[in-house]
């Protein structure tokens, strides 16, 4: 299997300024390492909530680092400093609205304020860029979906559609662990 190079970006003024320890990057790496069977290479960034810096980081990961998948965490709420969606849309060439819609649908099962979330999914060149929530539990929930008490999938997580999207933009074939996330591919 081909190595999957993933750009992961935690957007947080407080974590960047070391007011508290960043939990977004470790949560992303933990979930992805359990869900993806390909060897993984992470290109990590911890940056403040500054739109020009977010845009520059996403462009660097897409255009120069050639990451077929870029995941951001944080900065997607309604607060004035939350500008991750604006930065992502500014560098996008195409928008895939279903990713944001699905993340909000999943999160509404856990917290009513999920309706305030503004995550987006976009394509830039050969990269899929997805904005995830900032809380570690919410990261795992949106990626993996909602399961009932018996572990049966009730609502698919967004990662079920990520491998086919990576393939569509020219990235490597991504294989997933079906116990964590069953990816969907047309036959």
């Amino acid at each position: 299997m081909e190595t999957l190079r993933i750009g992961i970006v935690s957007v947080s003024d407080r974590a960047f300024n070391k007011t508290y320890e960043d939990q977004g990057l470790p949560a992303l790496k933990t979930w992805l390492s359990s869900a993806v069977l390909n060897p993984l290479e992470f290109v990590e960034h911890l940056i403040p909530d500054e739109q020009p810096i977010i845009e520059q980081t996403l462009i660097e990961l897409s255009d120069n680092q050639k990451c077929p998948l870029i995941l951001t965490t944080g900065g997607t709420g309604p607060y004035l400093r939350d500008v991750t969606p604006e930065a992502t849309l500014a560098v996008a060439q195409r928008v895939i609205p279903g990713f944001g819609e699905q993340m909000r649908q999943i999160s509404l099962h856990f917290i009513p304020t999920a309706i305030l979330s503004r995550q987006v999914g976009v394509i830039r060149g050969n990269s899929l860029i997805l904005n995830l929530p900032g809380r570690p539990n919410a990261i795992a929930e949106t990626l993996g979906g909602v399961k009932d008490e018996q572990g049966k999938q009730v609502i698919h997580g967004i990662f079920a559609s990520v491998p086919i999207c990576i393939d569509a933009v020219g990235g490597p074939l991504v294989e997933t662990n079906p116990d964590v996330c069953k990816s969907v591919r047309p036959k």
Side-chain angles (χ1 to χ4, degrees):
M1 278 185 271
E2 191 174 339
T3 297
L4 177 61
R5 186 178 179 98
I6 305 174
I8 54 175
V9 182
S10 184
V11 181
S12 170
D13 287 333
R14 292 180 292 166
F16 180 78
N17 291 320
K18 304 201 183 318
T19 304
Y20 66 75
E21 187 174 337
D22 174 64
Q23 297 180 355
L25 295 174
L28 284 170
K29 289 178 9 183
T30 297
W31 193 90
L32 291 163
S33 295
S34 70
V36 178
L37 298 177
N38 300 56
L40 300 175
E41 178 184 346
F42 295 108
V43 183
E44 301 177 43
H45 291 272
L46 173 58
I47 60 176
D49 290 278
E50 297 288 342
Q51 186 168 342
I53 296 171
I54 300 167
E55 289 177 23
Q56 179 183 17
T57 302
L58 296 177
I59 291 169
E60 168 65 21
L61 289 169
S62 175
D63 298 4
N64 299 329
Q65 295 292 326
K66 306 294 186 199
C67 297
L69 178 61
I70 302 166
L71 301 174
T72 70
T73 177
T76 61
Y79 298 97
L80 295 178
R81 297 282 299 159
D82 291 337
V83 294
T84 303
E86 287 78 9
T88 303
L89 291 169
V91 303
Q93 293 167 331
R94 297 192 303 176
V95 177
I96 305 178
F99 280 112
E101 294 165 4
Q102 186 71 354
M103 283 187 266
R104 284 181 286 281
Q105 180 187 17
I106 292 165
S107 293
L108 281 168
H109 278 271
F110 301 101
I111 185 164
T113 54
I115 199 161
L116 302 173
S117 178
R118 301 177 313 110
Q119 293 111 326
V120 297
V122 306
I123 294 172
R124 176 183 175 87
N126 298 102
S127 299
L128 171 63
I129 304 172
L130 301 172
N131 299 152
L132 300 174
R135 288 182 12 258
N137 285 351
I139 291 169
E141 292 160 0
T142 56
L143 290 170
V146 179
K147 296 181 179 176
D148 65 16
E149 290 88 26
Q150 290 76 36
K152 183 176 186 254
Q153 195 81 47
V154 177
I155 298 176
H156 289 286
I158 63 164
F159 208 85
S161 296
V162 167
I164 193 168
C165 195
I166 289 173
D167 182 57
V169 299
L173 178 68
V174 176
E175 296 290 342
T176 59
N177 176 349
D179 293 334
V180 178
C181 177
K182 192 174 193 179
S183 59
V184 180
R185 285 199 177 84
K187 295 188 183 259

